[in-house]
Amino acid sequence: MKIKVDEKYFIETDKLNYILKEKCTAKKSGKEIYRTVGYYGSMTALAERYLEERQKAIMDDSTVNLDEYVKLVEESNQKAVSRLYDVLRLYPEKG
C-alpha cells in the first residue's frame, strides 16, 4: 500500500514496517527519485520522524531569533500533525 502524506512524502507498508519515503531530485541526472527516510515498526515512530523531517525543512540560511524559530517549528508541527491525521485516519492500524 502507498499512502501520500503531502507533495514530498509518502508511506509504503509491508508486513512488518511502515516505510517513510521522500520524493527528491537526483543531483547528477535531475530525475525524480524516492529516498527511503526510514523503516518504522509503528505509525507513531514514523509520525515522529516525519515531524523531524518537516522541522529540518523549515531551516534555511536566514537568521531568526529563538522565539521566531520556535514559532516556525510549532506552526510546521501543527500543519504536519493535521495532515497526518487527515490522511492516516482513513487507514486501519496494522496489527
Side-chain angles (χ1 to χ4, degrees), residues 67-79:
D67 290 337
E68 292 170 325
Y69 177 73
V70 169
K71 184 177 178 182
L72 287 171
V73 168
E74 287 174 348
E75 289 172 0
S76 176
N77 286 353
Q78 192 173 38
K79 288 177 187 175

Side-chain angles (χ1 to χ4, degrees), residues 56-64:
K56 290 179 196 174
I58 64 171
M59 293 186 249
D60 56 19
D61 292 334
S62 63
T63 302
V64 296

Side-chain angles (χ1 to χ4, degrees), residues 26-41:
K27 291 180 181 180
K28 290 185 179 182
S29 68
K31 292 182 181 181
E32 186 175 277
I33 60 171
Y34 300 96
R35 176 182 78 91
T36 299
V37 176
Y39 295 83
Y40 307 92

Side-chain angles (χ1 to χ4, degrees), residues 10-46:
F10 65 94
I11 300 165
E12 288 184 342
T13 60
D14 63 22
K15 291 181 180 182
L16 300 174
N17 299 292
Y18 296 98
I19 307 158
L20 181 60
K21 294 197 172 190
E22 175 186 20
K23 181 171 60 172
C24 45
T25 305
K27 291 180 181 180
K28 290 185 179 182
S29 68
K31 292 182 181 181
E32 186 175 277
I33 60 171
Y34 300 96
R35 176 182 78 91
T36 299
V37 176
Y39 295 83
Y40 307 92
S42 72
M43 192 57 77
T44 301
L46 182 141

Side-chain angles (χ1 to χ4, degrees), residues 4-10 20-22 37 50 53:
K4 182 179 177 181
V5 178
D6 59 29
E7 294 303 316
K8 190 173 181 180
Y9 294 95
F10 65 94
L20 181 60
K21 294 197 172 190
E22 175 186 20
V37 176
Y50 174 69
E53 292 294 314

